């Protein structure tokens, strides 16, 4: 090994152990976040595993005692978007993933409303979806979500507010029914409407 | 007066609906959080933890 780390012993079992212990507790949350980003359980676990390993490899740069959940979510999010950029087919894949998710949820006991919510979420612009998930489901404060997404707190607030309005409108109009162009048009109208409403506020 | 009452009722309804969406959103997320973690995750981590020579 020719690499040397400055200011830290390259091998610190106690610190690594503490880091690993906390990282393991975050795996379920990373899986859940990845699932909402990809919409596909298999792709989500690949993404969550990649993020987990990236976090492990970067453990020396993490300051123990600070917010590891936000840190790992940021890693996962960056990983997701850098992979997305590499894949020109991604928009098509998203669509296919949404369909697979719909088909995969075949549990008659599962409340129908959750499927509707999943489909509706998939129709939101990605930046609105992730903001709403982080704040509305992940338990992050606006400030933490802003850090994870690399944007201003005000931006997160307005994205969450727009996402809430759009989601409600999609659910109410049943526009989550994907029947090709009609749903696309309905969606366009809803988003334009939500946009208008949020600037009026 | 009538209009005012209708407006207030609509606002209440909108708020209730937003709450319902919020509850479902958390439910959807927590459903995955509560799934058992596939063994693969811990296996990968264990392999990474092992000294380079033992991989």
């Amino acid at each position: 090994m020719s690499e040397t780390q400055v200011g830290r012993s390259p091998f610190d079992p106690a610190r690594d152990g503490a880091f690993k212990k906390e990282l393991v507790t975050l795996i379920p949350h990373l899986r859940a976040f990845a699932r909402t980003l990809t919409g596909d359980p298999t792709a989500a676990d690949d993404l969550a595993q990649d993020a987990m390993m990236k976090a492990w490899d970067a453990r020396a740069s993490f300051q123990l005692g600070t917010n590891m959940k936000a840190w790992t979510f940021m890693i996962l999010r960056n990983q997701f978007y850098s992979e997305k950029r590499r894949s020109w087919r991604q928009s098509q894949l998203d669509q296919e993933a949404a369909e697979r998710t719909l088909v995969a949820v075949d549990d008659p006991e599962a409340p129908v409303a959750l499927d509707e919510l999943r489909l509706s979420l998939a129709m939101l612009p990605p930046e609105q979806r992730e903001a709403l998930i982080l704040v509305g489901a992940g338990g992050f404060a606006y400030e933490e979500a802003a850090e994870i997404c690399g944007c201003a707190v005000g931006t997160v607030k307005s994205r969450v507010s727009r996402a809430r309005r759009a989601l409600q409108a999609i659910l109410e109009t049943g526009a989550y029914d994907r029947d090709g162009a009609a749903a696309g048009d309905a969606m366009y109208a809803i988003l334009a409407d939500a946009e208008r409403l949020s600037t009026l506020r | 007066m009538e209009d005012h009452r209708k407006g207030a009722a609509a606002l209440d309804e909108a708020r209730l609906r937003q709450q319902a969406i919020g509850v479902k959103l958390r439910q959807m997320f927590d459903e995955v959080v509560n799934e058992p973690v596939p063994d693969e995750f811990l296996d990968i981590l264990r392999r990474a933890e092992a000294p380079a020579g033992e991989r």
Side-chain angles (χ1 to χ4, degrees), chain A residues 20 118 164 168 172, chain B residues 17-18 26 31 35 49:
Chain A
K20 185 188 167 186
R118 281 193 189 96
R164 286 205 168 112
Q168 186 168 344
E172 273 167 28
Chain B
R17 244 183 244 138
Q18 274 303 336
R26 278 191 295 277
E31 225 174 59
E35 281 176 12
E49 208 183 11

Side-chain angles (χ1 to χ4, degrees), chain A residues 20 24 27-28 31-33 35 45 48-49 52-53 56 113-114 117-118 121 132 136-137 164 167-168 172, chain B residues 14 17-18 21-22 24-29 31-33 35-38 40-42 44-45 48-49 52:
Chain A
K20 185 188 167 186
V24 167
I27 294 172
R31 292 184 73 230
F33 185 41
R35 189 87 59 96
D45 272 358
Q49 281 168 11
M52 179 184 78
M53 286 320 297
W56 175 256
L114 264 189
L117 183 68
R118 281 193 189 96
L121 265 180
L132 180 62
R164 286 205 168 112
L167 207 51
Q168 186 168 344
E172 273 167 28
Chain B
R17 244 183 244 138
Q18 274 303 336
I21 291 175
K24 267 184 248 159
L25 209 55
R26 278 191 295 277
Q27 194 187 337
M28 186 191 81
F29 195 83
E31 225 174 59
V32 185
V33 172
E35 281 176 12
V37 171
E40 223 182 328
F41 280 85
L42 296 180
I44 293 172
L45 207 47
E49 208 183 11

Side-chain angles (χ1 to χ4, degrees), chain A:
Chain A
M1 287 233 171
S2 57
E3 297 162 40
T4 48
Q5 278 174 295
V6 185
R8 184 191 302 283
S9 126
F11 187 59
D12 185 345
R15 190 184 186 279
D16 282 358
F19 182 92
K20 185 188 167 186
K21 206 170 161 190
E22 193 174 348
L23 183 59
V24 167
T25 67
L26 293 172
I27 294 172
H29 300 271
L30 291 172
R31 292 184 73 230
F33 185 41
R35 189 87 59 96
T36 63
L37 288 180
T38 66
D40 176 75
T42 309
D45 272 358
D46 285 348
L47 175 62
Q49 281 168 11
D50 285 351
M52 179 184 78
M53 286 320 297
K54 276 222 155 72
W56 175 256
D57 290 342
R59 64 193 178 282
S61 71
F62 178 75
Q63 212 170 344
L64 282 179
T66 62
N67 191 339
M68 195 191 277
K69 190 177 174 192
W71 184 69
T72 53
F73 270 51
M74 186 160 48
I75 291 173
L76 188 143
R77 181 185 175 277
N78 289 343
Q79 177 76 7
F80 174 67
Y81 284 111
S82 68
E83 278 173 15
K84 212 173 152 86
R85 266 195 296 278
R86 279 198 294 270
S87 165
W88 61 272
R89 279 189 68 231
Q90 195 58 46
S91 59
Q92 199 179 339
L93 287 176
D94 280 350
Q95 193 71 3
E96 288 167 9
E99 282 171 47
R100 268 203 304 281
T101 310
L102 178 64
V103 176
V105 181
D106 204 16
D107 177 6
E109 300 287 297
V112 175
L114 264 189
D115 293 348
E116 291 173 358
L117 183 68
R118 281 193 189 96
L119 281 177
S120 306
L121 265 180
M123 295 178 82
L124 294 181
E127 68 276 8
Q128 288 185 22
R129 182 170 54 233
E130 69 181 8
L132 180 62
I133 291 288
L134 290 170
V135 172
F140 288 104
Y142 285 115
E143 289 74 12
E144 293 169 323
E147 204 183 309
I148 292 169
C149 300
C151 65
V153 177
T155 308
V156 173
K157 285 184 179 168
S158 86
R159 282 177 187 169
V160 170
S161 142
R162 265 180 265 173
R164 286 205 168 112
R165 286 174 195 275
L167 207 51
Q168 186 168 344
I170 295 167
L171 285 165
E172 273 167 28
T173 55
Y176 53 82
D177 250 344
R178 297 182 330 91
D179 55 353
D185 289 349
M187 186 56 209
Y188 182 80
I190 286 164
L191 285 178
D193 219 34
E195 196 75 22
R196 189 176 51 80
L197 282 170
S198 64
T199 55
L200 282 178
R201 191 174 52 94

